[in-house]
């Protein structure tokens, strides 16, 4: 291998990184079985959202306070910027708020907290976690539930009939018949014909993009102690909401079932009127809704040096991970948040492997050809370390076989209608590939499949020729001249990030993945999230 040019600084390396792909997400929370800290009444809970920046926790936002309730469903929607390629640490703290003017938490009772990453919530869409007190002790059976939706704009304006201090709650009926609070209006004091200001709610939050999904609407008379009086209810759907025409209105009777049973001449407890409906279009794709499958391929060619020698790129130093491990851990810890089963395919190439010690360019590093997957990134690390003493580093550096293998695997997903599984192949290599023509051919074919390829160059080789595979400077073509359908390769020399943080490396190598996923679904005319029309409506009750 030739000597490397002088390594560039991390800042210089980052200057060439594509701009981060950011999505707006809506995060809602609810709690169950909170601790009862109050002597006379139940706790008045509030959830505080904190974010970690440079090792420090700071408050980002907080929910409303719900009076006297141990199972609160909060109407507050946390709006967050979501970056696929970053670890965004969140902390949720639940407090029993004392007094109407309390704005801090110093004198409030701590009901529990939990830490997680935004990526973990994105991957699951709905996540339930136990609340913990100080020193990791469970807060009884208390839990907090997170509901996440990607933001598509939709406006509602409402007018509800009520007896005194009315407010309205809209619930989505889920497939399992559970009810999810979508929106809670403000309270209009002392008004029999209240009119609410417009408010926004996404279509996916409203009905999960199912126009026929049932919506349950409840009207309440507000009570400052939390014991609101039930006025009535009605059911509708987004399809029904769309029946409104120019100059016309859609109405519903607000029914109290108890009054309906007791009173013979009971008609309703008011009338709800939809006065206006506006629809806007959106071409946004919910790319993180895809289910990611993470695969790793490691270069075991002789150019890496004898693993027993401290100069080898594969040398296992008990005090410091080598470059292969640093790159693997930095990228893998981001990706594993999105892999539902946390099992990763771990492959090797360029070595002689037991029992016959024939050269293989596509072998499982756990030596189980029937199941090449490892449990989480730590499992991949252990398989890598256990593999080294059992193989003979050889060559050449052929990566086309592994690309073809993963492309064939992902092609099976492509045949499924509205397939949501997307593959990310991380290739760690110490030199320019030997089978460049075959690799170009493999990448062009793979560009039609749900697959992205990340190549990290380890060591001090001259990686100039590797830039050919990265389509940033032009469309990659096969040896026969066939162009790739889309750019699916990102190449990064590890040496540019030797003094940078693992987060900086991960941000660079994963920066293009969201765009690549969007392009794949766009070419297939699939929106992983929901249909295009995004409503905006005005609702009115008289």
């Amino acid at each position: 291998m030739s000597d490397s040019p002088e390594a560039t600084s991390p800042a210089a390396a980052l200057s060439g990184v594509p701009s981060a792909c950011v999505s707006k997400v809506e995060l809602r929370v609810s709690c169950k079985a909170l601790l009862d800290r109050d002597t006379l009444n139940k706790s008045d809970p509030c959830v505080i959202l904190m974010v970690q920046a440079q090792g420090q926790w700071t408050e980002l936002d907080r929910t409303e306070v719900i009076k006297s309730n141990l199972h609160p469903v909060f109407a507050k929607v946390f709006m967050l910027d979501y970056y696929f390629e970053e670890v965004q640490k969140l902390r949720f703290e639940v407090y029993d708020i004392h007094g109407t003017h309390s704005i801090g938490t110093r004198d409030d009772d701590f009901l529990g907290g939990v830490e997680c990453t935004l990526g973990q919530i994105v991957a699951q869409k709905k996540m339930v976690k136990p609340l913990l007190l100080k020193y990791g002790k469970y807060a009884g059976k208390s839990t907090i539930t997170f509901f996440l939706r990607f933001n598509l704009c939709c406006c509602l304006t409402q007018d509800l009939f009520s007896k005194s201090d009315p407010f309205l709650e809209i619930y989505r009926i889920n497939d399992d018949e559970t009810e999810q609070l979508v929106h809670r209006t403000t309270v209009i004091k002392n008004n029999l014909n209240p009119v609410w200001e417009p408010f926004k709610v996404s279509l996916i939050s409203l009905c999960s993009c199912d126009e026929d999904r049932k919506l349950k609407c409840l009207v309440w008379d507000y009570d400052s102690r939390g014991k609101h009086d039930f006025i009535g209810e009605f059911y509708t759907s987004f399809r029904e909401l769309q029946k409104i025409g120019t100059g016309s209105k859609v109405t519903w009777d607000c029914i109290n079932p108890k009054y309906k049973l007791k009173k013979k001449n009971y008609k309703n407890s008011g009338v709800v009127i939809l006065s206006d409906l506006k629809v806007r279009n959106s071409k946004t794709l919910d790319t993180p809704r895809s289910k990611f499958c993470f695969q790793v391929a490691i270069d075991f060619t002789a150019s890496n040096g004898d693993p027993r020698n401290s100069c080898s790129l594969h040398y296992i130093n008990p005090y410091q991970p080598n470059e292969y491990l640093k790159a693997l851990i930095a990228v893998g810890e981001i990706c594993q948040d999105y892999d539902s089963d946390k099992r990763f395919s771990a492959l090797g190439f360029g070595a002689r492997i037991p029992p016959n010690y024939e050269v293989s360019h596509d072998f499982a590093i756990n030596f189980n050809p029937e199941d090449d997957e490892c449990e989480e990134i730590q499992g991949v690390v252990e398989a890598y370390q256990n593999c080294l003493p059992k193989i003979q580093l050889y060559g050449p550096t052929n990566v086309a076989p592994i690309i073809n293998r993963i492309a064939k695997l992902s092609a099976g997903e492509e045949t499924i209608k509205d397939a949501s599984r997307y593959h990310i192949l991380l290739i760690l290599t110490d030199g320019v590939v030997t089978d460049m023509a075959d690799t170009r051919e493999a990448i062009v074919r793979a560009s039609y499949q749900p697959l992205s390829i990340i190549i990290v160059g380890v060591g001090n080789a001259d990686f100039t020729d590797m830039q050919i595979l990265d389509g940033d400077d032009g469309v990659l073509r096969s040896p026969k001249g066939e162009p790739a359908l889309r750019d699916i390769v990102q190449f990064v020399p590890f040496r540019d990030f030797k003094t940078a943080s693992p987060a900086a490396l991960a941000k660079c190598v994963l920066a293009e993945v969201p765009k690549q996923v969007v392009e794949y679904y766009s070419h297939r005319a699939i929106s992983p999230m929901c249909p295009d029309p995004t409503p905006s409506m005005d609702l009115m009750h008289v």
Side-chain angles (χ1 to χ4, degrees):
M1 295 181 294
S2 62
D3 294 335
S4 69
E6 185 177 350
T8 56
S9 67
L14 284 173
S15 66
V17 177
S19 58
C21 181
V22 59
S23 298
K24 289 285 187 181
V25 296
E26 298 177 356
L27 182 61
R28 303 169 189 268
V29 296
S30 65
C31 299
K32 282 190 176 182
L34 293 177
L35 298 177
D36 193 355
R37 298 292 199 187
D38 289 351
T39 304
L40 300 177
N41 298 310
K42 297 177 182 178
S43 296
D44 303 332
C46 171
V47 177
I48 296 177
L49 169 59
M50 307 183 77
V51 296
Q52 189 181 73
Q54 298 180 341
Q56 299 294 320
W57 289 102
T58 56
E59 180 180 340
L60 179 67
D61 206 346
R62 60 176 63 188
T63 69
E64 74 277 19
V65 177
I66 296 184
K67 295 286 187 179
S68 189
N69 196 323
L70 302 182
H71 311 282
V73 178
F74 297 96
K76 170 69 178 181
V77 178
F78 295 119
M79 298 299 298
L80 300 171
D81 289 336
Y82 163 65
Y83 297 88
F84 171 82
E85 69 279 5
E86 295 183 12
V87 175
Q88 294 173 266
K89 293 185 178 180
L90 307 178
R91 177 169 175 80
F92 298 85
E93 296 183 348
V94 187
Y95 289 90
D96 179 14
I97 303 296
H98 297 288
T100 56
H101 301 292
S102 176
I103 57 173
T105 58
R106 183 173 55 184
D107 299 322
D108 302 325
D109 292 329
F110 181 56
L111 300 180
V114 66
E115 292 183 18
C116 63
T117 67
L118 183 55
Q120 290 170 339
I121 303 176
V122 167
Q124 299 186 42
K125 297 301 184 292
K126 176 182 178 181
M127 185 171 74
V128 182
K129 301 278 284 186
L131 289 174
L132 302 177
L133 299 174
K134 293 181 179 179
Y135 310 112
K137 181 181 178 181
Y138 285 99
K141 297 182 179 180
S142 301
T143 62
I144 185 168
T145 302
F146 307 105
F147 303 88
L148 182 139
R149 301 293 178 192
F150 284 79
N151 188 31
L152 294 177
C153 292
C154 152
C155 300
L156 286 169
T157 314
Q158 305 191 24
D159 216 26
L160 277 216
F161 182 70
S162 171
K163 291 185 176 180
S164 183
D165 303 329
F167 68 94
L168 169 75
E169 292 180 327
I170 302 175
Y171 287 82
R172 181 184 69 247
I173 307 299
N174 298 318
D175 293 337
D176 59 0
E177 298 302 320
T178 58
E179 299 175 359
Q180 171 62 44
L181 178 65
V182 174
H183 185 76
R184 181 184 292 130
T185 70
T186 55
V187 177
I188 303 296
K189 293 285 188 178
N190 301 315
N191 198 322
L192 296 179
N193 297 283
V195 177
W196 275 269
E197 293 297 321
F199 64 85
K200 294 183 178 181
V201 62
S202 68
L203 177 58
I204 194 167
S205 290
L206 182 68
C207 59
S208 299
C209 298
D210 178 359
E211 296 188 7
D212 296 311
R213 184 177 295 277
K214 189 180 294 184
L215 304 175
K216 181 179 181 180
C217 303
L218 305 177
V219 186
W220 300 89
D221 182 11
Y222 176 78
D223 181 87
S224 60
R225 297 167 298 175
K227 299 178 180 179
H228 312 303
D229 294 323
F230 178 63
I231 295 176
E233 65 185 19
F234 65 95
Y235 292 84
T236 186
S237 67
F238 179 61
R239 187 177 299 279
E240 186 175 14
L241 297 178
Q242 295 179 89
K243 291 180 179 179
I244 187 170
T246 305
S248 64
K249 298 178 180 179
V250 180
T251 64
W252 298 270
D253 288 329
C254 190
I255 304 297
N256 188 317
K258 188 180 296 184
Y259 292 163
K260 188 175 182 180
L261 288 174
K262 291 182 178 181
K263 300 179 180 181
K264 292 183 179 180
N265 297 324
Y266 176 78
K267 184 178 180 181
N268 59 48
S269 297
V271 178
V272 178
I273 301 175
L274 175 64
S275 61
D276 192 17
L277 176 67
K278 302 172 184 176
V279 178
R280 294 192 300 181
N281 289 330
S282 171
K283 298 295 183 182
T284 302
L285 289 176
D286 177 13
T287 59
R289 184 168 180 172
S290 302
K291 299 175 183 177
F292 289 95
C293 301
F294 186 50
Q295 288 94 13
V296 182
I298 300 175
D299 182 341
F300 289 108
T301 56
S303 57
N304 285 281
D306 188 339
R308 296 169 294 183
N309 190 315
S310 61
C311 296
S312 170
L313 293 171
H314 280 305
Y315 178 70
I316 302 299
N317 186 330
Y319 304 105
Q320 183 177 0
N322 60 37
E323 291 188 11
Y324 279 96
L325 287 176
K326 286 180 180 178
L328 171 64
I329 294 170
V331 179
E333 287 188 342
I334 296 287
C335 292
Q336 72 179 359
D337 276 349
Y338 303 97
D339 194 299
S340 58
D341 61 4
K342 303 292 187 290
R343 291 177 58 83
F344 307 124
S345 176
L347 307 170
F349 60 93
R352 287 175 168 172
I353 63 173
N356 299 324
Y357 286 94
E358 296 178 348
V359 177
S360 174
H361 298 291
D362 176 10
F363 65 92
I365 65 173
N366 64 2
F367 300 110
N368 183 357
E370 303 300 323
D371 184 6
D372 58 25
E373 293 186 330
C374 303
E375 292 286 345
E376 301 188 343
I377 288 303
Q378 185 56 37
V380 179
V381 171
E382 292 172 1
Y384 164 73
Q385 293 173 331
N386 294 333
C387 168
L388 281 171
K390 301 175 183 178
I391 62 174
Q392 295 177 1
L393 274 59
Y394 203 70
T397 308
N398 294 347
V399 300
I402 281 183
I403 294 176
N404 286 330
R405 171 178 177 159
I406 303 303
K408 182 178 179 181
L409 177 65
S410 59
E413 317 290 353
E414 205 271 344
T415 60
I416 304 173
K417 185 179 179 181
D418 293 350
S420 62
R421 292 173 68 85
Y422 193 92
H423 296 258
I424 299 176
L425 171 60
L426 172 64
I427 299 176
L428 305 174
T429 180
D430 79 319
V432 177
V433 299
T434 307
D435 61 339
M436 182 62 77
D438 290 341
T439 298
R440 286 164 53 197
E441 181 74 31
I443 292 173
V444 169
R445 288 199 301 266
S447 68
Y448 290 83
Q449 312 303 337
L451 172 64
S452 289
I453 301 172
I454 299 167
I455 304 176
V456 177
V458 177
N460 295 320
D462 183 356
F463 291 111
T464 303
D465 290 344
M466 296 293 281
Q467 301 293 345
I468 298 173
L469 304 178
D470 193 324
D472 291 346
D473 297 328
V475 178
L476 176 70
R477 294 181 179 272
S478 71
K480 297 178 181 179
E482 179 187 356
L485 178 66
R486 57 194 179 90
D487 176 18
I488 64 170
V489 177
Q490 170 76 339
F491 173 76
V492 177
F494 182 83
R495 60 171 173 260
D496 290 353
F497 293 86
K498 271 190 174 181
T499 59
S501 66
L505 172 63
K507 184 174 183 178
C508 177
V509 300
L510 293 171
E512 292 187 5
V513 171
K515 181 186 71 173
Q516 292 168 357
V517 178
V518 169
E519 289 176 347
Y520 166 72
Y521 284 115
S522 296
H523 282 299
R524 292 198 61 205
I526 295 175
S527 171
M529 183 164 69
C530 65
D532 250 341
T534 305
S536 160
M537 39 191 157
D538 290 340
L539 206 72
M540 182 175 189
H541 176 279
V542 209

